[in-house]
Amino acid sequence: MIKAGVVGGTGYSGVELLRLLAQHPQVELAAVTSRPEAGRPVSAAYPSLRGCVEVAFSHPDKAPLAQCDVVFFATPNGVAMGEARRLLDAGARIVDISADFRLKDVAEWERWYKMKHAAPELLAEAVYGLCEVNREKIRDARLVANPGCYPTTVQLGLLPLVEAAAVDLDHLIADAKSGVSGAGRKLEQSLLYAEASENFAAYGVTGHRHWPEIRQGLAQLAGREIGLVFTPHLVPMVRGIHATLYGRIVKELDFQALYEKRYAKEPFVDVMPAGSHPDTRSTRAANVCRIAVHRPAEQGERADTLVVLSVIDNLMKGASGQAVQNMNLMFGLPEATGLEQVAVVP
Amino acid sequence: MIKAGVVGGTGYSGVELLRLLAQHPQVELAAVTSRPEAGRPVSAAYPSLRGCVEVAFSHPDKAPLAQCDVVFFATPNGVAMGEARRLLDAGARIVDISADFRLKDVAEWERWYKMKHAAPELLAEAVYGLCEVNREKIRDARLVANPGCYPTTVQLGLLPLVEAAAVDLDHLIADAKSGVSGAGRKLEQSLLYAEASENFAAYGVTGHRHWPEIRQGLAQLAGREIGLVFTPHLVPMVRGIHATLYGRIVKELDFQALYEKRYAKEPFVDVMPAGSHPDTRSTRAANVCRIAVHRPAEQGERADTLVVLSVIDNLMKGASGQAVQNMNLMFGLPEATGLEQVAVVP
Amino acid sequence: MIKAGVVGGTGYSGVELLRLLAQHPQVELAAVTSRPEAGRPVSAAYPSLRGCVEVAFSHPDKAPLAQCDVVFFATPNGVAMGEARRLLDAGARIVDISADFRLKDVAEWERWYKMKHAAPELLAEAVYGLCEVNREKIRDARLVANPGCYPTTVQLGLLPLVEAAAVDLDHLIADAKSGVSGAGRKLEQSLLYAEASENFAAYGVTGHRHWPEIRQGLAQLAGREIGLVFTPHLVPMVRGIHATLYGRIVKELDFQALYEKRYAKEPFVDVMPAGSHPDTRSTRAANVCRIAVHRPAEQGERADTLVVLSVIDNLMKGASGQAVQNMNLMFGLPEATGLEQVAVVP
Amino acid sequence: MIKAGVVGGTGYSGVELLRLLAQHPQVELAAVTSRPEAGRPVSAAYPSLRGCVEVAFSHPDKAPLAQCDVVFFATPNGVAMGEARRLLDAGARIVDISADFRLKDVAEWERWYKMKHAAPELLAEAVYGLCEVNREKIRDARLVANPGCYPTTVQLGLLPLVEAAAVDLDHLIADAKSGVSGAGRKLEQSLLYAEASENFAAYGVTGHRHWPEIRQGLAQLAGREIGLVFTPHLVPMVRGIHATLYGRIVKELDFQALYEKRYAKEPFVDVMPAGSHPDTRSTRAANVCRIAVHRPAEQGERADTLVVLSVIDNLMKGASGQAVQNMNLMFGLPEATGLEQVAVVP
């Protein structure tokens, strides 16, 4: 049994992680920490876990995290980087669901996250946990930076095109739409029900923290700088991300075949039949990314633009599901262990 | 008083039109027709109209439509084209909220709408009712083709750029998102609450009827063919359209100033301050299109792409509000008569 | 023109009030105050008001409230009671949309609102602004306590029965359901989209501040103490209250006729035909209460229970619409002035 | 392995059942039938099942249902009663998720369901599958009538009170609220997104088919006729039922203890701590009923009314989850096999 600790168990990626770990056959939940909730049963904060998670929140300073085999950080940005060194030194391995170790360039990280990085020396060691790209490195990693929700959706959607250099890499467009849980459990006005419901808007059009993360990932695949416009939008739903991706074709290929071949052995990427329109709910509560490739030829002969649709559940393949997938790789388990949940529809 | 008839008063653009006409100081509602509901009080079908609309539905064959000054068609496609000739001959003027008279090319109309056109001789006469483009022609029109909801949002959003030829007109992208009422009150599985709620997906990526309408409008403005990829999505909300528009800059301009100048005198187009993110709810139940222009420079020096955000209420500026605006123009009333409603927020 | 001031224009009843006042033909908006937003245009906080409300927020200490004819308080509880005396002395009249002057018994108010009342001497003077009960007193009132949203729905639903003493007054049950905007624009976790959406729960079952208000109102009508169980629930929607009211019949009457007669002359209470199920959306953005009376005889001969369904828009008849109705009465205007909006459906 | 057949796999209880059976360790899915979809892969109709359910729909006349160990009917009412005899004779056992075998009185069934019963001789044999009441009978049953969603919520909520005769059994009130999926995947106008969203209303107040089912169940427990007013409401959410139950106390007991004791050994009934407000989402996608008992003493000394809150996921404990629970009992498996899913929150 893997002894697992969860730092920050009260947010949405935290409760989702607890849901998964409670059902994971090889995991023993050793500690769940929360500063404000210390001493309170986890299931009092989340009645959905009554009967499934029996532990109480412990104070982060008193929790036996150093004795864990793996520690998950489901915390706001800026927490994991302060704790990582101590835990690694004690022999624990880390999956950081926050953004602390995702960017390789410290200066860029500090510019986007508006704080000083507390452990820049770990950035080189940290492995970016997009399993479909870095599977082998993840197996041996001590510190995995779990990808962001938008970056997972966009990178998995564009990856075959970028690897094949089949589209204009200077002018990629990612028009992305996310459910509200993607913003976390923050007390912000724009996240109130009476603000977000019956409403749709873009946000952060001039700059969003996931932009440098996506660009770094795609540039690495391309072996060169890439140009990307990334436009996030808030959708009045709780879970789900839909990325609509546009690329100008520069190399004619059988794009459907390209995608099917690239993802043929991937347990958690589903290339749908040509002409499909994947809906976010088909991934709800499941660790899967579904992708469809379109070439809208009916829209006229001038349409040399490829349209790729990529959907995930932001809390699963976009956060906690992917974190468990990373853990499985790190501990030599079959990659799908504890991740066989079928999507919940309707 | 203008004697107005409404054909097809049971759908969503119908009830919205009745809401507006009931409050319009210069309109007398002479007839509302519905084949299945003939004889039933309109307010029995729509309790929201109790005390405001006192008439009963009449059978279309018996309603005094020919004696009306103006007849609105809030019908499924294919109805207005069969009735228009008779009503025009009788001296009535027509605002067709359906799609029957929107395309100039009969063959293209028949290909997209999959039926034979019943009045091709009227297509040349019909005036496309986008007031911001065709205001003068509308004043004298006998037959106005009220624009579709997506086409209104996209054309108003791109119009200044196309007129100025400031972006690559061969590669425009319109990523559009609509609330569910845009599909009308049809009994289709995908429109059920348990299907559309907590879900987000694209649809019609390979071809949507609003694509030729948008292309026709923009090509007319540009004086040349244009290339456009149009990707509609269904948003889990009732009202609202958000178009996210992308164009590659080919001519450097002060884009904010371009938009502000173009729409300075328009009563129903609101160019928001630079950096704004218009939300659909700010237009709810109001006849207005709000637009913001972004140049996402923080996303890197390669980003020579302009991003325009354009929002409307699909039942108002995208259907019945615009229909009343057209009527006002046709009958020499101040354009905003009966359209001063303030958006309903929250 | 009535010079109106609005204290606290940033919450939901505030923005709704501004929507109404902007369209009111006899009102001039003299001041809108907000401490944190002072100096900022109102329409910057609420883009829905762009082009309709041109003033900026002013600081409450500097706003010319004392020179207003009427001042509305759309503030959290506890603000109006501190300002009322000064404004009344200066000659302004007050409509308080908050709860400060709703209860006649100071001790009871202080127990439920958990603060000391700052102006207990005004409680006797304050007129409870339920127009259907206190119309004549409201005309002459200097200080009107605008009823709460639940109390309006429940009292209008039960009023004819209580006046007729037709049901067991010791065992009334009000099972009430409210949209999320009823809780205001507060930053509370339970009001976040990801908490309130796709969810339904009761709250405050052991005690809610609207219970003493309802009980006071009904007891006054009955001329005796009444017994009431009041169970509020949170509905995943923005606007709307639905009260399902149960009373054990003690006097056989034609209940449909009783209601129709009682409300025959009321401009804003709509008794629907027998067998109706009023839906909240039929009141959306309109100042109306719709009521249906049921005696579920098919549910068996033992069913001597009457079921009354009562719905309003909590921000309109439950808050700002009723506030304007009160203002109209206070200033001798036709009661429906500026309140003719038709409900927005869908 | 249990060979299972599913008749009617395209509705909501069907897809939920397939989700559960796909994860059930002791079940082999032998056939899923659908007349209109015959030949099409199940996962083409429900992409959420891609990779999890590999079979295609078969035509009901050709499917090997008679060779199954158990056949589930997830069909509209009226189908199972026509097929049951043949399957039972062939040795299959049946769990009918529809309503065909729920009422013992044929005349009453025919009155409420408005059709002639095709197999009245099986009504006596059919066991009502409320496991918490009929566990032992279910083990040996050939034909189980799976309870309705409202009846499950209401009966589990009232059961301890009725068994103890602690409240006035002539005047029970069940004010129930259901998400939209409870109505099935029917193409009805009231179930459209643009009708059901941002709206709340009661329906069927004068009579609902679940009323006789609840009354029959409670009367059996009480050993006498009972009086019940049942008021269903439609909530703008997909899943979840919340019943707010009212009973006049006639026998003073420690009600919290009564409930805790009654359900102490029940794996799928969770009596929450005193003062709790169970929310429907805490049961989402999980086979559990959560209950809280309130005595609203703060609402005044006259309040001798008990308020019980009972919530389930209508597709799980209210339909397919309970069906699997019944199957587990029928085949001697541990009752929770394949039903350990943790509720999905948020």
Side-chain angles (χ1 to χ4, degrees):
Chain A
M1 297 291 277
I2 302 167
K3 285 181 66 175
V6 175
V7 182
T10 59
Y12 294 140
S13 57
V15 65
E16 185 72 345
L17 185 60
L18 293 175
R19 180 174 77 90
L20 296 175
L21 296 180
Q23 300 178 85
H24 196 292
Q26 301 292 330
V27 167
E28 176 199 338
L29 194 58
V32 184
T33 75
S34 165
R35 217 168 280 267
E37 303 273 353
R40 195 179 175 209
V42 168
S43 64
Y46 280 108
S48 58
L49 300 176
R50 283 171 63 87
C52 307
V53 172
E54 305 291 358
V55 300
F57 290 110
S58 46
H59 193 282
D61 298 345
K62 297 178 184 159
L65 296 173
Q67 289 86 294
C68 287
D69 298 308
V70 63
V71 174
F72 294 92
F73 282 87
T75 44
N77 300 321
V79 175
M81 65 185 184
E83 305 290 329
R85 169 57 63 203
R86 180 178 67 87
L87 292 171
L88 293 176
D89 287 350
R93 297 167 83 180
I94 292 175
V95 178
D96 177 21
I97 304 179
S98 83
D100 286 8
F101 298 102
R102 291 187 197 153
L103 299 186
K104 291 297 174 191
D105 182 327
V106 183
E108 184 157 39
W109 191 91
E110 294 182 342
R111 189 166 69 248
W112 285 96
Y113 290 92
K114 298 184 200 309
M115 56 181 125
K116 188 147 182 61
H117 202 288
E121 77 284 2
L122 291 175
L123 287 179
E125 176 182 350
V127 175
Y128 187 69
L130 192 62
C131 308
E132 291 74 11
V133 171
N134 291 327
R135 183 168 283 114
E136 295 314 313
K137 286 185 189 161
I138 293 164
R139 294 192 203 278
D140 301 323
R142 290 199 305 166
L143 170 56
V144 167
N146 209 57
C149 48
Y150 283 127
T152 297
T153 327
V154 174
Q155 288 177 87
L156 291 178
L158 289 175
L159 188 156
L161 294 177
V162 171
E163 286 179 343
V167 293
D168 176 359
L169 296 180
D170 290 323
H171 294 96
L172 297 168
I173 291 175
D175 191 281
K177 301 89 172 171
S178 175
V180 181
S181 67
R185 210 183 191 188
K186 289 195 292 270
L187 291 181
E188 286 183 7
Q189 202 167 59
S190 64
L191 304 179
L192 290 176
Y193 186 91
E195 305 288 315
S197 176
E198 254 310 284
N199 193 23
F200 188 91
Y203 66 99
V205 176
T206 49
H208 185 284
R209 292 166 174 183
H210 284 174
W211 176 79
E213 182 180 340
I214 299 169
R215 201 180 54 159
Q216 169 186 282
L218 294 180
Q220 187 196 332
L221 290 171
R224 48 157 288 190
E225 284 298 295
I226 60 106
L228 169 74
V229 173
F230 170 59
T231 317
H233 303 73
L234 192 63
V235 185
M237 62 183 182
V238 178
R239 288 174 180 239
I241 287 185
H242 186 291
T244 312
L245 307 164
Y246 300 91
R248 187 91 60 84
I249 297 165
V250 295
K251 192 189 291 181
E252 284 294 345
L253 294 170
D254 179 338
F255 296 106
Q256 179 72 21
L258 176 74
Y259 275 74
E260 289 181 358
K261 189 172 169 202
R262 176 58 178 85
Y263 290 126
K265 293 183 182 162
E266 285 299 338
F268 295 120
V269 181
D270 174 25
V271 179
M272 298 186 71
S276 297
H277 296 95
D279 50 4
T280 58
R281 68 175 189 157
S282 73
T283 69
R284 188 186 300 143
N287 190 54
V288 63
C289 176
R290 300 196 200 275
I291 295 175
V293 186
H294 285 260
R295 186 168 185 178
E298 279 187 46
Q299 299 200 355
E301 61 292 340
R302 287 164 193 250
D304 56 357
T305 301
L306 208 66
V307 183
V308 180
L309 313 175
S310 175
V311 302
I312 63 167
D313 179 330
N314 54 296
L315 295 178
M316 285 293 291
K317 185 64 181 165
S320 305
Q322 187 147 261
V324 170
Q325 189 181 353
N326 275 309
M327 179 197 74
N328 287 342
L329 285 170
M330 293 162 80
F331 288 85
L333 300 176
E335 199 165 331
T337 310
L339 290 174
E340 301 89 348
Q341 294 88 359
V342 182
V344 175
V345 170
Chain B
M1 297 290 278
I2 302 166
K3 285 180 65 173
V6 175
V7 183
T10 59
Y12 295 139
S13 56
V15 65
E16 185 72 345
L17 185 61
L18 294 174
R19 181 174 76 90
L20 295 175
L21 297 180
Q23 300 178 85
H24 195 291
Q26 301 292 330
V27 167
E28 177 199 338
L29 194 58
V32 184
T33 76
S34 164
R35 218 169 279 268
E37 303 274 351
R40 196 180 175 208
V42 168
S43 64
Y46 280 107
S48 57
L49 300 175
R50 284 172 62 88
C52 307
V53 172
E54 305 290 0
V55 302
F57 290 109
S58 46
H59 192 281
D61 298 346
K62 297 179 185 158
L65 296 173
Q67 290 86 293
C68 287
D69 299 307
V70 63
V71 174
F72 294 92
F73 282 87
T75 44
N77 300 321
V79 175
M81 66 186 184
E83 305 290 330
R85 171 55 63 204
R86 181 177 67 86
L87 293 172
L88 292 177
D89 287 349
R93 297 167 82 181
I94 292 175
V95 178
D96 177 21
I97 303 179
S98 82
D100 286 8
F101 298 102
R102 291 188 197 152
L103 298 186
K104 292 296 175 193
D105 182 328
V106 182
E108 184 158 40
W109 192 92
E110 294 183 340
R111 189 166 70 248
W112 284 96
Y113 290 91
K114 298 182 200 312
M115 56 181 122
K116 189 146 182 60
H117 202 289
E121 78 283 3
L122 291 176
L123 287 179
E125 175 182 350
V127 176
Y128 188 69
L130 192 61
C131 309
E132 291 74 12
V133 172
N134 291 328
R135 182 168 282 114
E136 294 314 314
K137 287 186 189 163
I138 292 165
R139 293 193 203 279
D140 300 324
R142 291 198 306 166
L143 172 54
V144 167
N146 208 57
C149 47
Y150 283 128
T152 298
T153 328
V154 173
Q155 288 177 88
L156 291 179
L158 289 175
L159 189 155
L161 294 177
V162 171
E163 287 178 344
V167 293
D168 176 359
L169 296 179
D170 290 322
H171 294 95
L172 297 168
I173 291 176
D175 191 281
K177 300 89 173 172
S178 174
V180 180
S181 67
R185 210 184 191 190
K186 289 195 292 270
L187 291 181
E188 287 183 6
Q189 203 168 60
S190 64
L191 304 179
L192 290 174
Y193 186 91
E195 304 288 317
S197 175
E198 255 307 285
N199 193 23
F200 188 92
Y203 65 100
V205 175
T206 49
H208 186 284
R209 291 166 174 183
H210 284 175
W211 176 78
E213 182 181 342
I214 299 168
R215 202 181 52 160
Q216 169 186 282
L218 294 180
Q220 186 196 333
L221 291 171
R224 49 157 288 192
E225 284 298 295
I226 61 105
L228 169 74
V229 174
F230 169 59
T231 316
H233 304 74
L234 192 65
V235 184
M237 63 184 182
V238 177
R239 289 173 180 242
I241 287 185
H242 185 291
T244 312
L245 307 164
Y246 300 92
R248 187 93 58 85
I249 298 165
V250 295
K251 192 189 293 180
E252 283 294 343
L253 294 171
D254 178 338
F255 296 106
Q256 179 73 20
L258 176 74
Y259 275 73
E260 288 180 359
K261 189 172 168 202
R262 175 57 178 84
Y263 290 127
K265 293 183 183 164
E266 286 298 338
F268 295 120
V269 181
D270 173 26
V271 179
M272 299 185 71
S276 297
H277 297 94
D279 50 3
T280 58
R281 68 174 188 157
S282 72
T283 69
R284 188 186 300 142
N287 191 52
V288 63
C289 176
R290 300 196 201 275
I291 295 176
V293 186
H294 285 261
R295 187 168 185 179
E298 278 188 46
Q299 298 201 355
E301 59 293 340
R302 286 163 193 251
D304 55 357
T305 301
L306 209 65
V307 183
V308 180
L309 312 175
S310 174
V311 302
I312 63 167
D313 179 330
N314 55 295
L315 295 178
M316 286 292 292
K317 186 64 181 165
S320 306
Q322 187 148 259
V324 171
Q325 189 181 354
N326 275 309
M327 180 197 74
N328 287 343
L329 285 170
M330 293 163 80
F331 289 85
L333 300 176
E335 198 165 333
T337 310
L339 291 173
E340 301 90 346
Q341 295 88 0
V342 183
V344 175
V345 169
Chain C
M1 296 291 277
I2 301 166
K3 286 181 64 176
V6 175
V7 183
T10 59
Y12 295 139
S13 56
V15 65
E16 185 72 346
L17 185 61
L18 294 174
R19 181 174 77 90
L20 296 175
L21 296 180
Q23 300 177 85
H24 195 290
Q26 301 293 331
V27 168
E28 178 200 338
L29 194 57
V32 184
T33 75
S34 164
R35 217 168 279 267
E37 303 274 351
R40 196 180 175 208
V42 168
S43 64
Y46 279 108
S48 58
L49 300 176
R50 283 172 63 87
C52 307
V53 172
E54 305 291 0
V55 301
F57 290 109
S58 46
H59 192 281
D61 299 345
K62 297 180 184 158
L65 296 173
Q67 290 86 291
C68 287
D69 298 308
V70 63
V71 175
F72 293 92
F73 282 87
T75 43
N77 301 320
V79 175
M81 65 186 183
E83 305 290 330
R85 169 58 62 203
R86 181 177 67 86
L87 293 171
L88 292 176
D89 287 349
R93 297 167 82 180
I94 293 175
V95 178
D96 177 21
I97 304 180
S98 82
D100 286 8
F101 297 102
R102 291 188 197 151
L103 299 186
K104 291 296 174 195
D105 181 328
V106 183
E108 183 156 41
W109 191 92
E110 295 183 340
R111 189 166 69 247
W112 284 95
Y113 289 91
K114 297 183 201 309
M115 55 181 124
K116 188 149 182 59
H117 202 289
E121 77 283 4
L122 291 175
L123 287 179
E125 174 180 352
V127 175
Y128 188 69
L130 192 61
C131 309
E132 291 74 12
V133 172
N134 291 328
R135 182 168 282 115
E136 294 315 313
K137 287 186 190 162
I138 293 165
R139 294 192 204 278
D140 300 322
R142 290 199 305 166
L143 171 56
V144 167
N146 209 58
C149 48
Y150 283 127
T152 298
T153 327
V154 174
Q155 287 177 89
L156 291 179
L158 289 175
L159 188 155
L161 294 178
V162 171
E163 287 179 343
V167 293
D168 175 359
L169 296 180
D170 289 324
H171 295 95
L172 298 168
I173 291 176
D175 191 281
K177 301 88 173 171
S178 174
V180 181
S181 68
R185 211 184 190 189
K186 290 195 291 272
L187 291 181
E188 287 183 6
Q189 203 168 57
S190 63
L191 304 179
L192 290 174
Y193 185 90
E195 305 287 317
S197 175
E198 257 304 288
N199 194 23
F200 188 92
Y203 64 101
V205 176
T206 48
H208 185 284
R209 290 166 174 183
H210 285 175
W211 176 78
E213 182 180 341
I214 299 168
R215 202 181 51 160
Q216 170 186 280
L218 295 180
Q220 187 195 330
L221 291 171
R224 49 158 286 192
E225 285 298 295
I226 60 106
L228 169 75
V229 173
F230 169 59
T231 317
H233 303 74
L234 192 65
V235 184
M237 62 184 182
V238 178
R239 287 174 183 242
I241 287 186
H242 186 292
T244 312
L245 306 164
Y246 299 92
R248 187 93 59 85
I249 297 165
V250 295
K251 192 188 294 180
E252 283 294 344
L253 294 171
D254 179 338
F255 296 105
Q256 180 72 22
L258 176 75
Y259 275 73
E260 289 181 357
K261 188 172 169 203
R262 176 58 178 85
Y263 290 127
K265 293 183 182 164
E266 285 299 338
F268 295 120
V269 181
D270 174 25
V271 178
M272 299 185 72
S276 298
H277 296 94
D279 50 4
T280 58
R281 68 175 188 157
S282 73
T283 69
R284 188 187 300 142
N287 191 53
V288 63
C289 176
R290 299 197 201 274
I291 296 175
V293 187
H294 284 260
R295 186 168 185 179
E298 281 188 42
Q299 299 201 356
E301 60 292 341
R302 287 165 192 250
D304 55 358
T305 301
L306 208 65
V307 183
V308 180
L309 313 175
S310 174
V311 302
I312 63 167
D313 179 331
N314 55 296
L315 295 178
M316 286 293 291
K317 185 64 181 165
S320 305
Q322 187 147 261
V324 171
Q325 188 180 353
N326 275 309
M327 180 197 74
N328 287 344
L329 285 170
M330 292 163 80
F331 288 86
L333 300 176
E335 197 165 334
T337 310
L339 291 174
E340 302 88 347
Q341 294 88 0
V342 182
V344 175
V345 169
Chain D
M1 296 293 276
I2 302 167
K3 286 180 66 174
V6 175
V7 182
T10 59
Y12 295 140
S13 56
V15 65
E16 185 72 346
L17 185 61
L18 293 174
R19 181 175 76 90
L20 296 175
L21 296 180
Q23 300 177 85
H24 195 290
Q26 301 292 332
V27 167
E28 177 198 339
L29 194 58
V32 184
T33 77
S34 165
R35 217 168 281 266
E37 303 274 352
R40 195 178 177 211
V42 168
S43 64
Y46 279 108
S48 58
L49 300 176
R50 283 170 63 86
C52 307
V53 172
E54 305 291 359
V55 301
F57 289 110
S58 46
H59 192 281
D61 298 345
K62 296 177 185 159
L65 295 174
Q67 289 87 292
C68 287
D69 298 308
V70 63
V71 175
F72 294 92
F73 282 87
T75 44
N77 300 321
V79 175
M81 65 186 183
E83 305 290 329
R85 169 58 64 204
R86 181 179 66 87
L87 293 172
L88 292 177
D89 287 350
R93 296 167 82 179
I94 292 175
V95 178
D96 178 20
I97 303 179
S98 82
D100 286 7
F101 297 102
R102 291 188 197 152
L103 298 186
K104 291 296 175 194
D105 181 328
V106 183
E108 184 156 40
W109 191 91
E110 294 183 341
R111 188 166 71 246
W112 284 96
Y113 289 92
K114 298 183 200 309
M115 56 181 123
K116 189 149 182 58
H117 203 289
E121 78 283 4
L122 291 176
L123 287 179
E125 175 181 350
V127 176
Y128 188 69
L130 191 61
C131 309
E132 291 74 12
V133 171
N134 291 328
R135 182 168 283 116
E136 295 314 312
K137 287 185 189 163
I138 293 165
R139 293 192 204 279
D140 300 323
R142 290 199 306 167
L143 171 55
V144 166
N146 209 56
C149 48
Y150 283 127
T152 298
T153 327
V154 174
Q155 288 177 87
L156 291 178
L158 289 176
L159 188 155
L161 294 177
V162 171
E163 286 178 343
V167 293
D168 175 0
L169 297 179
D170 289 322
H171 293 96
L172 297 168
I173 291 175
D175 191 281
K177 302 88 173 171
S178 174
V180 181
S181 67
R185 210 183 190 189
K186 290 194 291 271
L187 291 181
E188 286 183 7
Q189 203 167 58
S190 63
L191 304 179
L192 290 175
Y193 186 90
E195 306 286 317
S197 176
E198 257 306 287
N199 193 23
F200 188 92
Y203 64 101
V205 175
T206 48
H208 185 284
R209 291 165 174 185
H210 284 175
W211 176 78
E213 182 180 341
I214 298 169
R215 202 181 52 159
Q216 169 185 282
L218 294 181
Q220 187 195 332
L221 291 172
R224 49 158 286 192
E225 285 298 295
I226 61 106
L228 169 75
V229 172
F230 169 58
T231 316
H233 303 75
L234 192 64
V235 184
M237 62 183 183
V238 178
R239 288 175 181 239
I241 287 186
H242 186 292
T244 312
L245 307 164
Y246 300 91
R248 187 92 59 85
I249 298 165
V250 296
K251 193 189 293 181
E252 283 294 344
L253 294 171
D254 179 338
F255 296 106
Q256 180 72 21
L258 176 75
Y259 275 74
E260 289 181 357
K261 188 172 170 203
R262 176 58 179 84
Y263 289 127
K265 293 183 182 163
E266 285 298 337
F268 296 119
V269 180
D270 174 24
V271 178
M272 298 185 72
S276 297
H277 297 94
D279 50 4
T280 58
R281 68 175 189 157
S282 73
T283 69
R284 189 187 299 142
N287 190 54
V288 64
C289 176
R290 300 196 200 275
I291 295 176
V293 187
H294 285 260
R295 186 167 184 180
E298 279 188 45
Q299 299 200 355
E301 61 292 342
R302 286 164 193 252
D304 55 357
T305 300
L306 207 67
V307 183
V308 180
L309 313 175
S310 174
V311 302
I312 64 167
D313 179 330
N314 55 296
L315 294 178
M316 286 292 292
K317 185 63 182 166
S320 305
Q322 187 147 262
V324 171
Q325 188 180 353
N326 275 310
M327 180 197 74
N328 287 342
L329 285 171
M330 292 162 80
F331 289 85
L333 300 176
E335 199 165 332
T337 310
L339 291 174
E340 301 88 349
Q341 295 88 0
V342 182
V344 175
V345 169

